[in-house]
Amino acid sequence: MIPAWVLVAAGVLALAQVALDVVALVDLAKRPVGAVAFGNKWVWVAIIVFVNLLGAILYLALGRRRTVVSGDTPASTGGGAPASNIADELYPRTGEEDAP
């Protein structure tokens, strides 16, 4: 019979592994190839998936390179629309908010 605390610890570790894997894989998918160590995303996918908990930790600690953001381009828009227009694009004005 396995003690209850061992089952709880295994469950917590499994949940942490899945959460870290998802965070690492989503970050890897969004990151450009130039901002990934080794310059190859497939290598990191294999490391994250096959090295279990340690693979995601390695990617998050060592696999991401810092990207340099110029002062001209807002980081959140990826070089598209200026940051001041983001809210207008997401939530267009209807004209009703100006009415008293």
Side-chain angles (χ1 to χ4, degrees):
M1 181 119 208
I2 299 173
W5 68 270
V6 172
L7 293 175
V8 170
V12 168
L13 282 176
L15 186 64
Q17 176 181 345
V18 170
L20 278 175
D21 284 351
V22 168
V23 167
L25 289 171
V26 168
D27 182 76
L28 181 62
K30 290 182 178 182
R31 192 169 292 274
V33 174
V36 176
F38 306 132
N40 190 342
K41 289 186 174 187
W42 289 109
V43 170
W44 282 110
V45 169
I47 291 172
I48 292 168
V49 171
F50 294 122
V51 184
N52 294 330
L53 186 62
L54 187 60
I57 293 171
L58 284 173
Y59 169 73
L60 293 172
L62 305 173
R64 304 181 300 167
R65 292 185 180 162
R66 293 186 183 259
T67 56
V68 177
V69 178
S70 66
D72 300 336
T73 306
S76 63
T77 62
S84 61
N85 296 336
I86 298 296
D88 292 332
E89 289 180 21
L90 292 174
Y91 308 104
R93 296 180 186 258
T94 60
E96 296 174 9
E97 57 272 345
D98 294 333

